């Protein structure tokens, strides 16, 4: 703004400069405009995208008019907000004002500062006004802020509403979400649009899944505004375990028995915690009281659940399978309880109570026949065709049934699988094909037509019987082995043919023919090593190696098809055609060096084997014996095959074998020494008999010459040994007595002289000697029960020892010399030394001899009983008309083979007692005990052991220590302490017991234990004493006699009476005294006792004086009587005295 003074000049080109000028003068001025408000236009809170208005006042305070221009909004601020003036250009008259209204529309939330540029024309710098506003979104209010659902059953949806209000002029876009992912609460409308000032209800649905307190937060998210939070909470009850299907009743309908009907149900645990689900029968619920009177049964459960127990994790489901299966029919039902255990809960709660029902039936087919029989008879003029019968099947069960029919050939059915509806029937054909018996052997086929049901174990059967009858024979044997016979001897064997069938049988015998070999066949045979040394080829088998009857035969020659013939020469040989293959009824000896050019001569079969009869006919039920004869050529072997041909029936082959040779045998030993063995032990050794020849022979052991049959036994007793074989004959030996034993048996082999088999052994036994301490303190042999007889036996034993010497060390260690037998001097050396057997050895010899005599006597008794039983058996057989005598024959092959497997046990030896001792305890006071120490010495060459029956001893009134002895060393002693006892309340008398010491592996030793228990007693000369009358102050004494009448010492005493306090009375107060007051009286002795009576006042004194006998509960009473008298003085006069003048 300033003043201008300028000139406008004119210049002409070529003429001159500034030729003319015009002065120009001017002054510039601008109006003064003020703004109200001055620099800020405040809108306050404005809603986003909602236009808000505010005015700006322009005051023109000058005299000039003013022009204004609102410049366009800066593009950088337009994303925040957009303002629109109602007038962008205008003028303001001088000294006036102009109002401009700005409309502001925000685009973003938050504080806004938007500059407005106002240009006043004439002013060099525009004026800036700032629009200030706070852009906000819609205002949404929620009521209530905390929503409590209270107690809610698990999995039961509960819905409550929340009011949502839009307290704004613009629309509110609201989203509702729960704070927790997978929240238990669900929102009905997760997004909504609220119009200005609109109120809407928001539904919140809770489906709680746990039995606990639950809480969550609902976030109401308002678009372009502040979020609102609502706290929701609830407490779950009941259980989150559920099933979509109804489990109150599960009906399986009608089912077959033994078939499992199943239904599947999915049970979900919608809770978060794991839960244990357990299915139990309601009758087995432990929380319910059980009926004690109800019987407990072990019947299988009909209904079950699989699995019956499992832990179901949270938010998991499991498919439970309910099964119904019963072996019984009928309508059955039961109730299953599903109990839930959560956490540490021990008492479960019932979740489901399910009743299970099912009607069980069995598949049932009604069969028209239970047995179907077919019979076919062979007829020469009738072909073989199948036989058939019809069978009707009806479904009588209430369910459909699918069944399968199975049958094995030769039976057939028209169908094998069928499906029948209830009451539907079907007819099938059952056939029997008799042609299956291609071998033409009679027989009856018995099979079952099996009807099985689909998915059911029940089976129905129909018996099928098919009988085919051909002309058949029964041959007792299909092979005859003549074995090895002596050279140039014959042997006959027979078989029996019988006709058990209703058809007659025509038969004929022939030999199976052998094919003549050409050079190529012979070379091939020898290269393959078919021939064997010293054998004769027989007739080859049929092409299949088996005849039609199922029998087989062998040949050592090359085989081709053969044709049996009744003649002994084939037709080809009869016409004499040697160039073609022909058959010959002859056998050829074959050796390892045989060649085609140098063969052994042919032998006619009739010279080797013969058959009688050769042909015939057997009527039904008839029987025929066929005899085969074999002739043994020198050291040769033959085999052949005889064929019995039947008309319309099978062929029966009988293999024939025979060999001729000489007989040889070898025996490995003929003497057996078993040495020193326990007398009751059975030892076994073998002898080997070998057949070194080629002829089988029979052998037998002849035991009739045994002196004692119980000593020797063998197995087998008899038998047959084939060529090249060895037979082990087990010889069993038992001495039976503790002594030297020698026995001989005879081994008889065929026709040879009997071989003597000698068996020897020395029986020994574990022996002991019993001793006790004598009166001199030294050990001495315990007294025997029969001492007199024992002394005689000792004298005999001493003679035997001096005559034969001591026993070997293995039998007794009490003899002279060392432990080895070679260390013992001979009897001659002992006699030279003047040897005298010690007392212990004599005692041992007495016991040994007694054992021998007892065992031999029992052997004789057993042998006598056996002979009597055999005689009785023979007598009974004779009465029944049976003759038991049979001719002596050699044992058959079957007998020989069966005897090898038999090993009869030797009879056990009877129990034996080695010695009888007597142990006397003497007289014992009743209630006391007596003791004896017995020393047991081991006289055997090995340690011994024994165990004593303690209970039996105690029952008899005795005890022992120790009661068990293990492995007492050789020659050592063990002391046994025996106590005899009887209680005080027992009765007097003798106590006896036969105590057995069982030596393991040997005889027993008997000790008779005797003791006599006595009750101590005294005999009084008088049990009543009368002292009469005694002056007070004087003493009268009377003596009595005490006598011990028992065989034990008697201790007695007397105790004076006491006062009430238990103190002894002074002598002045005792009327009666006893001297002595105690004593010991030996058996049969006497003691005198003085009784004193000193009365202390004048009165009668009666007293029972008790003598106490030690160990006797009864006291001996003395009845004492006496009277005390005082001195009386009589004074006269008794009351007054008069004295006169003196």
């Amino acid at each position: 703004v300033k003043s201008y003074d300028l000139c406008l000049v004119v210049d002409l080109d070529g003429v001159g400069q500034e030729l003319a000028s015009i002065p120009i003068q001017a002054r510039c001025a601008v109006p003064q405009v003020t703004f109200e408000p001055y620099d800020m236009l405040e809108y306050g809170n404005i809603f986003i995208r909602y236009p808000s208005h505010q005015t700006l006042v322009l005051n023109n305070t000058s005299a000039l008019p003013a022009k204004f221009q609102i410049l366009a909004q800066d593009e950088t601020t337009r994303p925040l907000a957009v303002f629109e003036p109602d007038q962008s250009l205008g003028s303001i008259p001088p000294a006036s004002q102009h109002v401009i209204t700005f409309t502001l529309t925000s685009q973003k939330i938050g504080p806004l500062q938007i500059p407005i540029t106002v240009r006043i024309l004439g002013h060099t710098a525009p004026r800036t006004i700032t629009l200030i506003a706070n852009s906000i979104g819609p205002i949404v209010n929620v009521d209530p802020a905390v929503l409590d659902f209270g107690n809610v059953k698990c999995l039961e949806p509960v819905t409550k509403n929340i009011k949502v209000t839009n307290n704004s002029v613009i629309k509110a876009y609201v989203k509702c979400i729960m704070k927790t992912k997978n929240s238990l609460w669900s929102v009905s409308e997760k997004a909504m649009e609220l119009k200005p000032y609109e109120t809407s209800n928001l539904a919140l649905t809770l489906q709680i899944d746990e039995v606990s307190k639950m809480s969550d937060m609902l976030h109401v998210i308002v678009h372009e505004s502040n979020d609102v939070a609502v706290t929701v909470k609830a407490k779950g009850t009941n259980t989150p375990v559920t099933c979509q299907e109804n489990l109150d009743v599960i009906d399986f309908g009608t089912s077959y028995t033994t078939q499992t009907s199943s239904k599947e149900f999915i049970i979900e645990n919608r809770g978060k915690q794991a839960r244990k689900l357990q299915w139990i029968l309601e009758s087995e619920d432990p929380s319910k009281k059980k009926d004690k009177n109800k019987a407990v049964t072990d019947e299988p459960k009909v209904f079950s659940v699989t699995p019956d127990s499992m832990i179901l994790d949270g938010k998991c489901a499991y498919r439970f399978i309910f099964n119904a299966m019963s072996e019984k029919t009928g309508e059955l039902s039961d109730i299953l309880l599903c109990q839930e255990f959560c956490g540490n809960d021990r008492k479960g709660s019932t979740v489901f109570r399910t009743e299970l029902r099912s009607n069980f039936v069995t598949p049932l087919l009604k069969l028209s026949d239970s047995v179907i029989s077919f019979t076919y008879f062979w007829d020469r003029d009738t072909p073989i065709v199948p036989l058939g019968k019809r069978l009707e099947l009806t479904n009588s069960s209430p369910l459909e049934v699918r069944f399968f029919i199975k049958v094995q050939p030769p039976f057939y059915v028209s169908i094998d699988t069928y499906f029948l509806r209830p009451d539907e029937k079907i007819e099938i054909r059952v056939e029997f094909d008799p042609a299956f018996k291609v071998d033409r052997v009679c027989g009856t086929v018995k099979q079952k037509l099996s009807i099985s049901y689909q998915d059911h174990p029940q089976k129905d059967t129909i018996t099928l019987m098919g009988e085919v009858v051909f002309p058949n024979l029964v041959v007792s044997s299909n092979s005859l082995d003549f074995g090895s016979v002596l050279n140039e001897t014959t042997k006959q064997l027979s078989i029996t043919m019988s006709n058990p069938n209703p058809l007659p049988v025509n038969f004929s015998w022939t030999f199976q023919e052998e094919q003549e070999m050409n050079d190529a066949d012979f070379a091939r045979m020898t290269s393959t090593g078919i021939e064997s040394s010293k054998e004769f080829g027989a007739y080859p088998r049929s092409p299949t190696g088996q005849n039609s009857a199922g029998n087989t035969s062998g040949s050592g020659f090359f085989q081709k098809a053969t044709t049996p013939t009744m003649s002994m020469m084939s037709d080809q040989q009869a016409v004499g055609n040697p160039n073609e293959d022909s058959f010959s009824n002859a056998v050829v000896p074959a050796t390892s060096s045989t060649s085609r050019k140098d063969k052994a001569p042919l032998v006619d079969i009739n010279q080797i084997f013969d058959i009688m009869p050769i042909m015939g006919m057997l009527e039904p039920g008839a029987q025929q014996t066929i005899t085969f004869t074999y002739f043994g050529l020198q050291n040769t072997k033959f085999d052949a095959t005889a064929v019995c041909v039947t008309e319309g029936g099978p062929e029966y082959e009988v293999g024939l074998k025979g060999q001729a040779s000489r007989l040889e045998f070898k025996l490995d030993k003929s003497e057996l020494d078993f040495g020193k063995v326990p007398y009751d032990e059975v030892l076994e050794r073998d002898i080997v008999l070998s057949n070194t020849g080629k002829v089988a022979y029979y052998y037998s052991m002849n035991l009739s010459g045994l002196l004692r049959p119980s000593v020797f036994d063998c197995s087998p007793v008899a038998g047959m040994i084939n060529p090249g074989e060895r037979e082990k004959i087990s010889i069993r030996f038992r001495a039976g007595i503790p002594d030297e034993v020698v026995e001989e048996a005879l081994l008889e082999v065929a026709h040879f002289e009997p071989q003597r088999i000698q068996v020897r052994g020395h029986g020994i036994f574990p022996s002991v000697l019993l001793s006790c301490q004598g009166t001199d303190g030294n050990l001495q042999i315990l007294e025997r029960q029969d001492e007199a007889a024992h002394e005689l036996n000792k004298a005999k034993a001493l003679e035997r020892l001096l005559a034969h010497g001591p026993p070997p060390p293995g039998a007794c260690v009490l003899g002279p010399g060392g432990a080895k037998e070679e260390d013992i001097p001979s009897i001659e050396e002992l006699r030279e030394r003047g040897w005298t057997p010690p007392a212990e050895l004599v005692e041992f010899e007495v016991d040994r001899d007694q054992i021998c005599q007892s065992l031999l006597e029992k052997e004789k008794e057993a042998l006598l009983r056996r002979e009597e039983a055999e005689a009785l058996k023979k007598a009974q057989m004779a009465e029944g008309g049976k003759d038991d005598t049979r001719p002596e024959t050699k044992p058959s092959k079957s007998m020989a083979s069966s005897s090898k497997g038999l090993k009869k046990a030797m009879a056990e030896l009877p129990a034996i007692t080695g010695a009888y001792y007597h142990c006397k305890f003497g007289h014992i006071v009743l209630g006391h005990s007596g003791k004896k120490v017995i020393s047991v010495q081991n006289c055997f060459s090995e340690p011994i052991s024994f165990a004593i029956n303690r209970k039996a001893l105690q029952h008899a009134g005795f005890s022992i220590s120790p009661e068990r002895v293990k492995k007492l060393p050789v020659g050592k002693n063990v002391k046994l302490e025996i106590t005899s006892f009887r209680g005080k309340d027992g009765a007097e008398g003798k106590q006896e017991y036969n105590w057995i010491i069982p030596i393991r592996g040997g005889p027993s030793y008997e000790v008779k234990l005797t003791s006599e228990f006595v009750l101590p007693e005294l005999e009084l000369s008088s049990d009543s004493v009368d002292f009469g009358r005694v002056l007070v102050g004087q003493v009268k004494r009377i003596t009595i006699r005490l006598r011990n009448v028992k065989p034990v010492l008697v201790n007695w005493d007397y105790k004076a009476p006491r006062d009430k306090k238990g103190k002894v009375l002074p002598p002045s107060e005792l009327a009666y005294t006893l001297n002595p007051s105690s004593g010991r009286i030996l058996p049969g002795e006497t003691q005198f006792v003085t009784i004193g009576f000193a009365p202390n006042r004048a009165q009668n004194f009666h007293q029972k004086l008790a003598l106490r006998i030690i160990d006797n509960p009864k006291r001996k009473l003395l009845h004492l009587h006496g009277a005390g008298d005082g001195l009386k003085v009589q004074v006269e006069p008794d009351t007054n005295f008069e004295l006169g003048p003196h």
Side-chain angles (χ1 to χ4, degrees):
V1 179
K2 62 180 180 178
S3 296
Y4 295 91
D5 188 5
L6 300 172
C7 290
L8 177 63
V9 296
V10 179
D11 292 335
L12 294 176
D13 291 337
V15 178
Q17 300 292 328
E18 296 181 1
L19 296 179
S21 66
I22 299 174
I24 298 174
Q25 293 180 348
R27 186 176 64 87
C28 182
V30 294
Q32 295 296 322
V33 178
T34 61
F35 295 87
E36 186 181 343
Y38 177 71
D39 56 356
M40 290 184 298
L41 187 60
E42 295 184 0
Y43 282 81
N45 291 330
I46 66 173
F47 292 101
I48 189 170
R49 288 181 295 279
Y50 186 80
S52 299
H53 308 283
Q54 196 62 270
T55 60
L56 176 65
V57 179
L58 302 180
N59 295 317
N60 187 1
T61 58
S62 64
L64 297 173
K67 282 188 177 183
F68 66 90
Q69 180 184 3
I70 307 298
L71 299 181
Q73 185 178 353
D74 189 359
E75 290 298 328
T76 59
T77 62
R78 290 186 72 85
L80 300 177
V82 177
F83 64 86
E84 291 289 339
D86 59 351
Q87 186 178 357
S88 299
L89 296 172
S91 61
I92 305 170
S96 63
Q97 62 181 11
H98 187 80
V99 179
I100 302 174
T101 301
F102 286 90
T103 300
L104 180 63
T105 304
S106 64
Q107 301 297 327
K108 288 190 176 181
I109 298 297
L112 300 176
Q113 291 184 0
I114 306 298
I116 301 175
T117 304
V118 181
R119 183 180 179 184
I120 303 299
L121 204 61
H123 289 265
T124 59
R127 182 73 178 272
T128 300
I129 301 296
T130 303
L131 298 181
I132 296 177
N134 183 26
S135 178
I136 64 175
I139 300 173
V140 177
N141 295 327
V142 179
D143 183 43
V146 177
L147 184 60
D148 189 356
F149 281 74
N151 292 334
V152 179
K153 291 184 178 180
C154 286
L155 307 182
E156 185 176 301
V158 177
T159 302
K160 289 194 176 184
N161 295 324
I162 296 177
K163 288 183 179 181
V164 181
T165 304
N166 181 10
N167 292 324
S168 57
V169 296
I170 62 174
K171 292 181 180 180
Y173 296 96
V174 178
K175 284 187 178 181
C176 301
I177 61 173
M178 302 305 298
K179 179 181 179 181
T180 306
K181 187 179 180 180
N182 300 326
S183 176
L184 302 175
W185 281 268
S186 60
V187 185
S188 60
E189 296 182 63
K190 293 189 177 181
M192 64 175 63
E193 179 182 340
L194 296 177
K195 296 179 180 180
Y197 300 104
E198 182 184 359
T199 299
S200 178
N201 288 326
L202 180 64
L204 275 181
T205 302
L206 169 64
Q207 193 170 9
I208 198 165
D209 62 357
E210 200 54 75
V211 184
S212 61
K213 292 181 179 180
M214 299 288 181
S215 63
D216 205 345
M217 186 170 289
L218 171 66
H219 289 286
V220 180
I221 302 174
V222 183
H223 183 60
E224 297 177 335
S225 185
N226 296 328
D227 297 343
V228 181
V230 179
T231 301
V232 290
K233 58 183 179 180
K235 182 180 180 181
T237 59
N238 283 6
T239 176
V241 178
T242 183
C243 181
Q244 294 182 358
E245 301 177 68
N246 188 4
L247 289 181
D248 292 340
V249 177
I250 300 177
D251 194 347
F252 292 91
T254 302
S255 305
Y256 281 125
T257 56
T258 70
Q259 286 187 3
T260 300
S261 299
S262 301
K263 288 193 175 184
E264 297 181 353
F265 294 89
I266 296 177
I267 296 179
E268 301 177 73
N269 177 13
R270 297 185 181 177
K272 299 175 182 178
Q273 297 184 13
R275 284 171 164 78
K276 179 181 179 181
L277 301 183
Q278 184 174 1
W279 290 89
I280 61 172
L281 291 173
E282 188 178 42
S283 58
E284 299 176 355
D285 188 1
S287 62
K288 295 185 179 181
K289 294 184 179 179
K290 296 182 179 179
D291 188 2
K292 296 182 179 179
N293 298 326
K294 189 174 181 180
V296 179
T297 60
D298 294 334
E299 294 183 359
K301 296 179 182 178
V302 176
F303 302 98
S304 62
V305 184
T306 304
D308 60 351
S309 175
M310 77 165 300
I311 296 176
L312 191 59
D313 294 333
K315 302 300 180 183
C316 291
Y318 196 84
R319 190 186 309 274
F320 286 84
I321 302 175
F322 291 79
N323 303 315
M325 194 280 290
S326 174
E327 297 179 357
K328 297 182 179 179
T329 59
E331 294 186 1
L332 303 178
S333 64
D334 210 338
I335 295 177
L336 283 175
L337 301 179
C338 180
Q339 294 189 333
E340 172 195 43
F341 299 87
C342 182
N344 296 325
D345 185 14
R346 294 185 178 179
K347 185 177 180 181
S349 59
T350 301
V351 180
F352 302 107
R353 185 179 184 273
T354 304
E355 181 181 0
L356 294 94
R357 305 171 184 165
S358 184
N359 182 24
F360 293 98
V361 297
T362 57
L364 185 61
L365 286 179
K366 184 179 179 182
L367 309 176
S368 59
D369 295 295
S370 60
V371 178
I372 301 178
S373 300
F374 302 90
T375 303
Y376 169 78
F377 290 94
W378 175 82
D379 188 358
R380 183 184 296 106
D381 302 324
T382 303
I384 299 176
V385 293
L387 308 178
K389 289 187 178 182
R390 296 193 175 276
L391 174 67
E392 186 178 87
L393 307 176
T394 305
N395 181 12
S396 58
S397 57
L399 297 176
E400 299 173 344
V401 60
R402 179 178 293 276
F403 57 90
F404 309 94
I405 301 177
K406 292 183 179 180
V407 67
Q408 298 294 330
F411 297 97
Y412 305 93
V413 290
S414 56
I415 62 170
D416 56 0
T417 303
Y418 204 75
F419 176 82
L420 287 178
R421 293 181 178 84
D423 298 326
E424 189 178 356
K425 62 178 64 176
I426 184 177
E427 191 176 78
I428 65 174
R429 177 177 174 82
V430 182
E431 293 185 349
F432 169 67
D433 185 8
F436 86 101
K437 293 293 286 183
V438 294
D439 56 2
R440 298 207 169 201
V441 176
C442 293
T444 300
V445 180
K446 185 177 181 181
Q447 292 187 5
K448 296 288 186 181
L449 183 147
S450 176
I451 303 176
S452 59
Y453 300 90
Q454 185 175 11
D455 300 328
H456 198 278
Q458 179 172 329
K459 292 183 182 294
D460 292 331
T461 58
I462 297 175
T463 302
L464 302 180
M465 298 183 65
E467 183 181 6
V468 290
V469 181
F470 289 101
N472 274 197
L473 296 174
V474 175
V475 181
S476 60
S477 177
N478 60 0
S479 64
L480 291 178
D481 189 352
F482 292 87
S484 292
V485 300
L486 290 177
N487 293 328
E488 304 297 331
T489 61
T490 61
K491 184 177 181 180
Q492 287 187 344
L493 294 177
S494 298
I495 62 172
T496 302
M497 292 195 314
S498 58
N499 181 10
N501 301 304
L503 298 177
V505 180
N506 293 317
F507 71 90
S508 61
W509 284 94
T510 181
F511 286 101
Q512 193 178 70
E513 297 179 344
E514 174 195 353
Q515 179 185 1
E516 189 79 18
M517 294 182 296
N518 55 30
D519 293 338
D521 295 336
F522 189 81
R524 183 164 56 253
M525 179 194 71
T526 55
S527 64
T528 55
I530 299 178
E531 294 181 328
S532 60
S533 176
K534 288 294 183 178
E535 291 190 356
F536 284 78
Y539 302 97
R541 293 181 291 180
S542 61
T544 60
Q546 183 173 359
N547 64 9
S548 59
N551 299 321
T552 60
S553 62
S555 171
F557 289 91
F558 179 74
Q559 298 180 4
K560 285 188 178 180
T562 59
T563 303
T565 176
M566 290 297 297
S567 65
M568 302 310 292
M569 291 289 289
S570 66
D571 295 337
Q572 293 175 348
Q573 288 176 320
V575 298
N577 187 1
N579 297 324
E580 297 181 1
D581 289 343
S582 61
F583 295 93
S584 172
N585 286 312
V587 292
V588 182
T591 63
S592 59
S593 60
T594 303
S595 66
R596 189 62 174 168
K597 296 179 179 179
D598 186 16
K599 294 192 298 181
L602 294 174
V603 181
D604 191 353
I605 191 64
N606 291 331
Q607 298 181 15
I608 308 301
F609 297 103
D610 191 17
I611 306 175
M612 288 296 292
I614 195 103
M615 63 178 62
M617 185 183 73
L618 278 180
E619 294 293 338
Q623 184 173 296
Q624 178 74 51
T625 300
I626 307 298
T627 302
F628 293 82
T629 303
Y630 168 67
F631 176 77
L633 294 182
Q634 186 73 22
N635 295 327
T636 54
K637 181 179 180 180
F638 295 89
D639 60 357
T641 301
V643 180
C644 179
V645 182
T646 60
E647 182 185 6
E651 295 179 355
Y652 299 90
E653 293 186 357
V654 177
L656 305 177
K657 292 182 180 181
Q659 182 179 3
S661 182
R662 61 182 181 179
L663 191 148
E664 296 176 350
F665 77 93
K666 179 182 178 183
L667 182 64
D668 66 336
K669 49 182 163 298
S670 60
E671 292 186 3
L672 294 177
D673 189 354
F674 287 86
K676 297 169 184 62
V677 295
Y679 77 97
D680 59 347
E681 184 176 332
V682 178
L683 296 182
E684 185 173 320
R685 291 187 184 176
D686 297 334
I687 62 174
V688 179
L689 180 61
S690 304
N691 186 349
T692 57
K694 294 185 178 181
V695 180
Y697 60 79
Y698 294 95
Y699 72 91
S700 63
M701 290 292 293
N702 187 351
L703 306 180
S704 60
L706 296 179
L707 299 177
R708 294 171 54 214
S710 62
V711 172
F712 186 102
D713 194 4
C714 65
S715 176
V717 179
M720 184 183 74
I721 305 178
N722 292 319
E725 292 184 356
R726 303 168 61 193
E727 181 75 47
K728 276 187 180 181
I729 303 176
S730 297
I731 304 298
R732 289 180 291 177
F733 171 79
R734 181 178 61 195
I737 58 174
D739 203 347
E740 183 79 19
V741 176
V742 180
E743 289 287 353
E744 281 189 357
L746 297 178
L747 175 60
E748 299 175 350
V749 180
H751 57 276
F752 295 101
E753 288 293 326
Q755 301 290 315
R756 294 184 180 273
I757 307 297
Q758 187 183 76
V759 177
R760 66 171 60 247
H762 192 114
I764 59 176
F765 71 102
S767 60
V768 296
L769 287 179
L770 305 185
S771 306
C772 65
Q773 193 171 7
T775 55
D776 56 355
N778 297 324
L779 286 177
Q780 59 183 15
I781 301 299
L782 193 63
E783 181 182 349
R784 302 295 178 120
Q785 293 185 17
D786 190 350
E787 193 64 29
H790 181 64
E791 291 298 328
L792 294 176
N793 292 334
K794 285 172 63 176
K796 296 178 181 178
L798 181 60
E799 292 178 2
R800 285 194 300 273
L801 291 173
L802 292 175
H804 304 290
C812 179
V813 297
L814 301 177
K820 297 182 179 180
E821 189 169 357
E822 54 267 20
D823 297 336
I824 301 178
S826 62
I827 184 62
E828 291 77 9
E829 295 177 355
L830 292 175
R831 288 173 182 170
E832 292 177 0
R833 299 177 187 176
W835 174 71
T836 301
E840 291 83 359
L841 184 58
V842 175
E843 295 285 346
F844 166 80
E845 178 61 20
V846 171
D847 295 346
R848 187 198 65 78
D849 184 66
Q850 178 179 337
I851 294 173
C852 290
Q853 298 304 323
S854 299
L855 289 173
L856 290 174
E857 184 177 350
K858 290 184 178 182
E859 275 187 16
K860 292 178 181 178
E861 293 174 357
L863 183 60
L864 182 61
R865 287 193 299 268
R866 186 161 57 249
E867 291 176 351
E868 291 176 353
E870 291 178 356
L872 179 62
K873 184 177 179 181
K874 289 182 179 180
Q876 291 175 349
M877 294 182 67
E879 291 177 2
K882 296 181 180 180
D883 187 6
D884 191 43
T885 59
R886 299 182 180 90
E888 183 179 355
T889 58
K890 294 182 179 180
S892 65
K893 185 174 181 180
S894 60
M895 291 173 56
S897 60
S898 63
S899 66
K900 293 180 183 179
L902 299 175
K903 185 175 283 190
K904 195 173 181 180
M906 299 182 75
E908 293 186 0
L909 291 180
I912 198 69
T913 302
Y916 296 87
Y917 291 92
H918 195 178
C919 180
K920 299 178 181 179
F921 287 83
H923 296 89
I924 304 173
V925 176
L926 196 64
H928 287 222
S929 62
K931 293 185 179 180
K932 287 285 186 179
V933 178
I934 295 178
S935 177
V936 180
Q937 182 182 5
N938 180 12
C939 303
F940 194 46
S941 58
E942 296 179 4
I944 63 169
S945 302
F946 58 87
I948 298 169
N949 191 342
R950 177 178 57 86
K951 292 184 179 180
L953 276 171
Q954 282 189 339
H955 184 72
F958 298 92
S959 64
I960 189 167
S961 176
E963 63 187 54
R964 187 182 300 273
V965 175
K966 290 185 178 181
K967 296 183 179 181
L968 179 63
V970 177
K972 300 299 182 180
N973 297 352
V974 63
K975 292 185 178 180
L976 304 179
E977 185 178 280
I978 307 173
T979 304
S980 177
F981 59 89
R982 185 178 289 182
K984 292 182 178 181
D985 54 350
E988 291 184 276
K990 286 186 178 182
Q991 182 167 281
E992 294 182 351
Y993 180 70
N994 291 329
W995 169 39
I996 303 299
I997 303 178
I999 305 300
R1000 185 178 300 173
S1004 300
Y1005 288 82
E1006 181 179 315
V1007 181
K1008 185 175 183 179
L1009 305 175
T1010 58
S1011 59
E1012 185 170 358
F1013 286 90
V1014 180
L1015 187 67
E1017 184 62 279
L1018 289 176
E1019 184 182 84
L1020 305 181
S1021 59
S1022 177
D1023 58 355
S1024 179
V1025 178
D1026 189 356
F1027 286 86
R1029 308 184 69 83
V1030 180
L1031 291 178
V1032 176
Q1034 293 185 358
V1035 178
K1036 184 177 181 180
R1037 295 181 176 86
I1038 297 178
T1039 300
I1040 63 172
R1041 183 182 70 251
L1042 305 181
R1043 184 170 179 270
N1044 181 4
V1045 296
K1046 292 297 180 74
V1048 294
L1049 176 68
V1050 174
N1051 292 318
W1052 67 273
D1053 62 3
Y1054 164 73
K1055 292 185 178 180
R1058 299 172 181 264
D1059 59 9
K1060 295 180 180 181
K1061 296 182 180 181
K1063 295 183 179 180
V1064 179
L1065 296 176
S1068 59
E1069 296 185 11
L1070 295 175
Y1072 295 99
T1073 58
L1074 195 67
N1075 186 29
S1077 60
S1078 62
R1080 290 165 54 89
I1081 306 176
L1082 296 175
E1085 293 188 356
T1086 301
Q1087 184 179 5
F1088 292 95
V1089 178
T1090 301
I1091 304 173
F1093 175 55
N1096 53 9
R1097 53 186 175 274
Q1099 68 175 29
N1100 291 329
F1101 291 90
H1102 301 285
Q1103 184 177 341
K1104 292 181 180 180
L1105 192 146
L1107 300 181
R1108 185 171 70 93
I1109 302 174
I1110 306 302
D1111 296 319
N1112 191 334
K1114 296 182 181 180
R1115 303 196 175 211
K1116 210 69 175 175
L1117 297 180
L1118 278 174
H1119 299 273
L1120 305 179
H1121 306 280
D1125 283 344
L1127 294 176
K1128 294 183 179 180
V1129 178
Q1130 184 175 3
V1131 179
E1132 293 181 359
D1134 53 352
T1135 57
N1136 299 319
F1137 291 91
E1138 294 182 2
L1139 299 176
H1142 181 65

